[in-house]
Amino acid sequence: MPLLDVHELTTHFHTREGVVRAVNGVSFRVEPGETIGIVGESGSGKTVASLSLLGLIPAPPGRIENGTALFDGVDLLACGPKTLRSIRGRAISMIFQDPMTALNPFMRVGDQLMEPLQVHRGLSRREARTRAEEMLRLVGIQDGARNLSAWPHEFSGGMRQRVMIAMALITRPHLLIADEPTTALDVTIQAQILELLARLQRELGMAVILITHDLGVVARVCRRIYVMYAGQVMESAATEALFAQPRHPYTEALLQSLPSTHVKGEPLHTIPGLPPDLIAPIAGCPFAPRCASATDRCTRGAPTLRELVPGRATACFRVQDGEL
């Protein structure tokens, strides 16, 4: 059985301008101990989907309209607040995008690290402090006793990111959701953070959902990839298969946009146009206005995600009909 099985997750935001359809029928699964990647442009619904699972969508205006998310036999979308609080931070942890805004500027680093242990594990303050020092050393921050007394603004960006990882893993969760864990970090620190996550995953035996717009990152660490666009999953496949032969035109366009794939002397490939307005209803395929392979059929009807071969699914009429 999957550790997490998400089916038809739908999250909308009801605003004065209209209903923002941020996530529309997203389905994916996570097996115990594996790493999956959820990729796509900014605004594709990656973060909203993950926040929906943990009940962190601001309501109002946000509302989960439909779907199930079975985690270890519990539906995260239907269980009560008390049950969800007992899971969030203990069995499921999350690394948020910006550690500077995710960390409380009015609390010392040590207090923020110890809080999950005291709330979820019932440890005393002395026991929690000892565990917090050990966790800081595990993520590569030495002199834990001194750094526990520091404030978040006294750390560099890379160190704050390591503190966020320590906070997420200190309760030894079964599932870690890492939302853009390497954004705004330089290449060297980025490699260190990814290596750290991989090592801690092996040591703790947890599963990881890696959310990013960087296909180069998921190629290194993920077993399977889900490609999102306009709140929908456009394609899902094993990592090697997706990079070797992308089937959906959007996935192909993303891979062509990687700087490492362009021919020397030629301009970088860009995807023309802009993502659709998620307030206005989309009649056909959301990628059709930007797709060079689109036909009239693509603008009239919305393709559903269909499995082509075991483990590989694509939401494209022309691919499903064998034309691409």
Side-chain angles (χ1 to χ4, degrees):
M1 294 291 294
L3 177 65
L4 175 66
D5 190 1
V6 179
H7 182 68
E8 293 296 323
L9 172 62
T10 303
T11 302
H12 294 169
F13 291 89
H14 297 260
T15 69
R16 293 179 179 178
E17 290 74 22
V19 178
V20 180
R21 299 164 179 83
V23 177
N24 286 304
V26 167
S27 300
F28 62 89
R29 73 181 192 281
V30 186
E31 304 293 340
E34 80 163 342
T35 301
I36 70 163
I38 300 180
V39 302
E41 292 175 278
S42 297
S44 61
K46 310 183 298 298
T47 297
V48 173
S50 64
L51 294 176
S52 299
L53 299 177
L54 297 179
L56 298 177
I57 294 295
R63 189 167 69 196
I64 298 175
E65 306 286 353
N66 187 35
T68 59
L70 294 178
F71 174 76
D72 211 10
V74 177
D75 187 353
L76 300 175
L77 306 183
C79 66
K82 184 177 180 180
T83 301
L84 192 57
R85 281 196 300 269
S86 69
I87 295 174
R88 186 176 57 219
R90 179 181 61 85
I92 304 177
S93 290
M94 184 169 182
I95 301 173
F96 296 94
Q97 284 192 31
D98 185 359
M100 194 62 227
T101 56
L103 293 172
N104 190 330
F106 299 104
M107 290 179 64
R108 296 184 186 273
V109 168
D111 293 331
Q112 298 186 60
L113 279 170
M114 291 185 287
E115 186 178 46
L117 294 173
Q118 294 174 292
V119 172
H120 293 292
R121 301 300 184 192
L123 271 62
S124 67
R125 183 172 178 83
R126 177 178 294 180
E127 292 172 327
R129 185 177 181 85
T130 300
R131 182 80 67 83
E133 289 183 22
E134 295 173 353
M135 200 66 207
L136 283 183
R137 286 194 294 270
L138 191 61
V139 299
I141 299 178
Q142 304 304 319
D143 196 2
R146 181 178 64 84
N147 283 311
L148 286 178
S149 300
W151 300 94
H153 70 268
E154 297 180 287
F155 283 175
S156 66
M159 289 183 69
R160 285 195 295 267
Q161 193 68 284
R162 291 172 186 268
V163 170
M164 284 296 303
I165 294 174
M167 287 179 58
L169 301 184
I170 200 165
T171 56
R172 296 183 176 270
H174 303 303
L175 174 63
L176 173 68
I177 301 175
D179 188 7
E180 303 279 8
T182 58
T183 296
L185 299 178
D186 61 62
V187 176
T188 303
I189 301 299
Q190 181 185 89
Q192 293 175 1
I193 294 296
L194 292 176
E195 183 180 349
L196 173 64
L197 284 175
R199 176 169 59 83
L200 294 177
Q201 180 186 19
R202 291 193 299 268
E203 293 178 1
L204 301 177
M206 64 183 176
V208 176
I209 299 175
L210 180 60
I211 300 172
T212 181
H213 60 270
D214 191 338
L215 285 168
V217 170
V218 296
R220 295 178 53 185
V221 299
C222 295
R223 178 186 173 191
R224 290 183 294 113
I225 298 176
Y226 293 84
V227 182
M228 285 189 65
Y229 182 79
Q232 304 174 34
V233 176
M234 296 285 102
E235 183 169 8
S236 65
T239 301
E240 291 184 3
L242 185 134
F243 275 81
Q245 187 182 19
R247 300 303 306 274
H248 197 282
Y250 177 59
T251 308
E252 186 176 4
L254 284 179
L255 291 174
Q256 289 175 349
S257 301
L258 290 175
S260 60
T261 61
H262 83 289
V263 179
K264 184 176 181 180
E266 292 186 1
L268 291 174
H269 177 79
T270 58
I271 304 175
L274 296 172
D277 180 3
L278 297 181
I279 293 181
I282 302 174
C285 173
F287 188 61
R290 308 172 71 186
C291 180
S293 303
T295 63
D296 290 341
R297 181 187 181 188
C298 301
T299 60
R300 294 195 304 268
T304 58
L305 191 68
R306 184 186 303 173
E307 192 171 57
L308 305 176
V309 295
R312 178 150 204 173
T314 304
C316 177
F317 287 132
R318 300 197 65 185
V319 172
Q320 293 169 358
D321 295 341
E323 299 176 4
L324 293 177

